[in-house]
Amino acid sequence: MNKEFVDALSQVAHERGVTAEELISNFEEALRLAYLRQKGFRQKEVEEEGKGPIVEVHLDTQEGNLEVLEIKRVVETVEDPDKEIDLATAQKYDPEVAVGEEMEFPVDPEEFSRIAVQIAKQVLTQRLKEAERTRVHNEYKDKEGEVVTGSVARVDNRGNVYVELGRGEALMPPKEQIPTERYHPGQRVKVYLKQVQRSAKGPSLVVSRANEELLRYLLRQEVPEIAEGIVEVKAVAREPGSRSKVAVMSHNPNVDPIGACIGHKGQRIQAVSAELGRERVDIIQWSPNPKEFIRNALSPATVGEILIEPATTEDGKNRATVVVAKDQHSLAIGKAGQNVRLASKLTGYEIDFEEAEEITDLDAAILKAAEKEEGVKVSQDAKSRFESLFKEGE
């Protein structure tokens, strides 16, 4: 061994992303296990059963000198010749040694056979991989639940997409992908780091573009009012690549939460949609009143009276029955039931519809429903004012 060898180890450590001290420690451990293997002891026997001699390996990083030592305890009667030496024999090496003391016996590194060197190489490679896995796990464990940017490394024949995140490679299974997107090597993508786990093959990183948190992140990026806490995203419901509904509220009465999210000429919401493969994103007003929240969630359909049913003890689900006119029924349900499905997910209520006869004045029906919800009788004069205001708005 020489100083050049130590420098080479330091270079390998830099390339592998581990510290030189960590690599040298792994190198010393690899040589120790290789020496024991040469003596006929397997790693399991040494680590779990305590068999074999006590061996220490030291690499001097300043001079590059390698020292291999066998440690034996001086005893009156030898019971384990691999770890003990009798007093009479020990005193031949050191006349002043006493029972209970330890003696170090240097081993010439040249005694390492070619097989032992190969074993040391294998052990070192394994330890390096373990060190890299630990480092990757520690690096990304703190980022779990965040949105990161990576590039597509490859796509296998089962549809799994592998995303390179720098030092680690993440898996994006088909269920975490946006169905309308097609991925190709080198493509830059924003992904939600959903899961970081340790496994026998190394850290397991699972990322998603279908998760609702990705939509929340993009809204924070595009809407300053959300990033500053003025506008709050209260609930999100997604059908990735197709349509989403987002419920928002404002903590400032002078800020319109829907207008803030949509932006001038729709620029903000269009930027979010573009990042999600042109997924349609509906922004609605959140309300603490569940009836009003359900009404808003079912937009663009206009509905009438809403009846909230108490949760049953059997399934614990919240249910609501919504009265809807015939010409609004299909719009409330949406294509393939998408509108009501998203509204149900957004509000937490299972929604059933009750079709009424054609309502000629839907606004009057809304007003009547509001009266019933609030328990307040609105006067005929108030109704007239409401109608006149509505006409002015037209």
Side-chain angles (χ1 to χ4, degrees), residues 65-355:
N65 298 323
L66 181 67
E67 184 180 44
V68 182
L69 302 172
E70 267 197 39
I71 312 298
K72 293 193 175 185
R73 182 178 293 277
V74 179
V75 295
E76 290 285 358
T77 304
V78 175
E79 296 181 358
D80 186 350
D82 292 320
K83 295 182 175 65
E84 300 172 342
I85 184 172
D86 64 85
L87 180 61
T89 304
Q91 288 180 336
K92 293 179 182 179
Y93 296 97
D94 183 359
E96 298 181 359
V97 74
V99 172
E101 294 182 346
E102 291 184 342
M103 296 188 70
E104 297 179 346
F105 295 92
V107 176
D108 186 355
E110 297 296 329
E111 292 184 12
F112 280 74
S113 67
R114 180 180 60 81
I115 295 176
V117 172
Q118 185 65 26
I119 291 170
K121 181 180 177 182
Q122 292 173 356
V123 172
L124 180 60
T125 302
Q126 179 184 350
R127 291 300 174 92
L128 270 176
K129 287 181 179 179
E130 290 174 358
E132 285 185 89
R133 291 168 181 169
T134 300
R135 177 189 49 74
V136 170
H137 177 269
N138 293 339
E139 178 178 342
Y140 287 101
K141 185 63 180 175
D142 294 337
K143 295 180 180 179
E144 188 174 12
E146 296 181 5
V147 172
V148 295
T149 302
S151 60
V152 176
R154 65 186 190 281
V155 182
D156 67 18
N157 54 12
R158 290 180 295 180
N160 294 311
V161 177
Y162 294 88
V163 182
E164 186 64 45
L165 299 179
R167 294 189 180 277
E169 188 176 75
L171 168 68
M172 184 163 60
K175 66 178 182 179
E176 299 297 344
Q177 299 169 21
I178 294 178
T180 56
E181 288 186 330
R182 296 294 176 265
Y183 305 97
H184 54 83
Q187 179 183 352
R188 299 285 291 175
V189 289
K190 285 186 175 70
V191 292
Y192 173 71
L193 187 53
K194 185 177 181 180
Q195 190 178 71
V196 179
Q197 290 184 333
R198 302 193 78 153
S199 65
K201 296 182 180 180
S204 172
L205 309 179
V206 178
V207 295
S208 172
R209 279 184 57 76
N211 196 280
E212 294 169 1
E213 291 301 322
L214 178 60
L215 176 52
R216 288 178 180 268
Y217 169 84
L218 294 172
L219 286 168
R220 284 197 302 272
Q221 294 296 106
E222 295 294 335
V223 184
E225 290 84 353
I226 293 179
E228 294 169 7
I230 299 171
V231 173
E232 181 182 352
V233 176
K234 298 293 289 185
V236 174
R238 278 189 78 189
E239 293 197 353
S242 178
R243 188 179 177 187
S244 298
K245 285 180 180 283
V246 180
V248 296
M249 66 164 289
S250 175
H251 293 288
N252 185 335
N254 297 320
V255 176
D256 172 22
I258 297 177
C261 292
I262 294 174
H264 180 62
K265 294 184 178 180
Q267 290 179 344
R268 292 176 177 177
I269 203 65
Q270 286 173 13
V272 172
S273 175
E275 181 60 43
L276 298 175
R278 296 300 171 186
E279 181 177 314
R280 176 182 169 183
V281 181
D282 295 342
I283 307 295
I284 70 161
Q285 176 74 49
W286 178 83
S287 173
N289 183 328
K291 294 183 179 181
E292 190 63 28
F293 189 20
I294 292 171
R295 189 186 308 282
N296 295 340
L298 286 170
S299 65
T302 303
V303 299
E305 184 180 358
I306 298 174
L307 176 64
I308 300 294
E309 299 176 18
T312 62
T313 56
E314 295 180 359
D315 57 14
K317 293 181 179 179
N318 296 315
R319 289 184 170 82
T321 301
V322 180
V323 177
V324 60
K326 288 183 179 181
D327 62 343
Q328 293 289 307
H329 198 172
S330 61
L331 186 61
I333 293 173
K335 184 179 180 181
Q338 186 180 64
N339 192 58
V340 68
R341 195 163 53 243
L342 286 171
S344 179
K345 185 177 180 182
L346 191 73
T347 61
Y349 282 82
E350 287 195 356
I351 300 172
D352 296 319
F353 293 109
E354 182 179 302
E355 191 174 284

